Amino acid sequence: MRPTKKRRIDQETLEVEVNQIIRLEDHLKNAIDDGKSLNGLSDLLKIAEKEMGRPQLLHKCLYAIYRTFSLLISNGWFNSSGPRSQNTILVRQWLFKRLDQFFDLLGELFQHAEPLIKEAATQIPLTLLKQLSSSVSSATETPQIHYRTFRYIIPKYLRAKSSLAILVGLVNQYNDIRWFTLREIPRILHQVSPIERDDILIENTLSLLEKVDNMPKAKTEIKSFYIPELAKPPKDLAMSKPSEEDEELSDEDDWRKYFDSKESSEPADANTPDGRTSQFSTHRKLFYVQSHRVQFSGAWLALLQYIKSSPEHSNRVLSILHHTIMPNLTQPIQLMDWIGACIEFDGATALLAFNALFVLIQEHNLDYPDFYTRLYALLDKNILHVRYRARFFRLLELFLSSTHLPANLLASFIKRLARLSLSAPPPAIIMLIPFTYNILKRHPSLMAMIHREVASLDLDPFLPDEPSPFLTNAISSSLWELNTHRLHYAAPISAMAQIFSEPFTKPSYVQEDFLDHTYGTLYTAEAKRKIVKEPAINIDTQKHLFGQRLENDSEWRNVKDPCNIWI
């Protein structure tokens, strides 16, 4: 099929415009070699900004500008080791403005519908960053990243959802990109106005930090670098295999260094086994595990200040806090204020916050006297009806597992749960009975609660409205609520409730076996249960629904119908 006249004209116009771009690029190449005017670079940028709706022409223009900047960098126009004249400084300032203009243009194209344009927009800034870093490292004879360019382009990646995956890949692959990105995050977040909240930036930053999964544990793991000049360790830096003692101290501060008077070839550090990294050059810091942990801690602590009012974001952080974030923080105890704020939330967020708080108490010696009082407050009328009750019982068993807890505290918990079980669904009661059995078996001083009889419910000494679990007087009460479940309509519950009237000779239950029960599993288990003894049934059947049938109308007239059923 022959092309139409309009199509031929469009194709000819495109060829003319492409040739114009080629001529401008060739002219710039000659100007760079001869040291002449570079105004053609502004012309190329204007064409790219004007033709953003024409992907084919835009693609040609973007790579023409990229090749021009690449040639300028390789010829030392951005960095030179010799003396700089006033004219050289002015030209360099002009070039950086054009480079910033190019980066701004590429940032607008991160969301472009054309895949090739989007790929070019996201890859070109990183390639130019590597070239500029190599150039400045060579000019100054000091390995470094071109920090001006890095600070300019990283916010653009954090503010665009489509480019986040590229940044995540670089952060997890290269130690230098991760170190500089983590260091830059607090500065970027602090520029956000509290009034004009940047939700996209906060969401993308959280997504990035969630996916950081290659934090180094030893110096020998710091190998991969995006900037080639940074990959070579400083001359006096020992990269040998760490000793067993170093491995033991790799995840925690070595307090013994405070008192170690042994001379060392490296500066001593009061906080880290690797030396006082705050006094090192940026290049040297990249090879210290503690320095990476410092940047990781700073990024997370800065972000947490912006998500502490969001239950959804807080829930995401709390779910990975104890196994992904805490091991890589310099001082996990710094999370205390944020975790305390999360406890104020309801539901699963508060439960996860208690888990994080328990880890701080158990592993980092946090003193939090109100832990069990705040935990007791979670036992409200809804706790046995929520979908996360299995997770709640799993953590509650962990929190109450110590044999050193006071008896009156434990009595308050099992009494409150027993009271709540009166209106709980069968799957929740199935969890509660073995949970209570295990506590009673672990703490024999509570056995009186299942043997004590209460003459009247009005005489029950338990104080259900008392907020402190130490003052509820539950230990003077009884677990009569659990005794009522012996007559429960669900056979598995009534059978299990019998354990409280038998000698406590059975081993403790494995709580995990009872956490996944639902109405469906209870019905399936009951339906498949083998019947040992046939149940008793009535074999005499009635012939008529309402008794003996009346034969004539006169007999029907004598039948009383107070409810007007037959009208």
Side-chain angles (χ1 to χ4, degrees), residues 11 56 157 218 234 257 261 275 354 366 379 437 481 528 534:
Q11 186 66 27
Q56 189 174 357
Y157 284 87
K257 292 294 182 181
S261 59
F354 270 105
L366 173 67
L379 303 181
Y437 179 88
E481 298 91 348
K528 293 182 178 180
E534 293 292 336

Side-chain angles (χ1 to χ4, degrees), residues 4 11 64 104 130-131 198 231 254 281 322 328 339 343 359 379 381 452 458 505 531 559:
T4 63
Q11 186 66 27
D104 290 338
K130 179 183 287 189
Q131 296 175 5
D198 193 339
D254 186 5
S281 65
H322 63 286
N328 295 311
I339 294 175
I343 291 178
V359 173
L379 303 181
K381 61 181 180 180
R452 185 181 295 119
D458 297 333
T505 56
I531 300 177
V559 176

Side-chain angles (χ1 to χ4, degrees), residues 426-442:
I429 303 175
I430 285 289
M431 300 178 192
L432 176 61
I433 292 177
F435 174 82
T436 306
Y437 179 88
N438 290 346
I439 291 182
L440 293 175
K441 191 172 180 65
R442 194 182 305 125

Side-chain angles (χ1 to χ4, degrees), residues 408-409 412 461-463 466-474:
N408 60 339
L409 171 70
S412 297
F462 175 63
L463 303 176
E466 171 58 47
S468 174
F470 298 95
L471 304 175
T472 60
N473 204 25

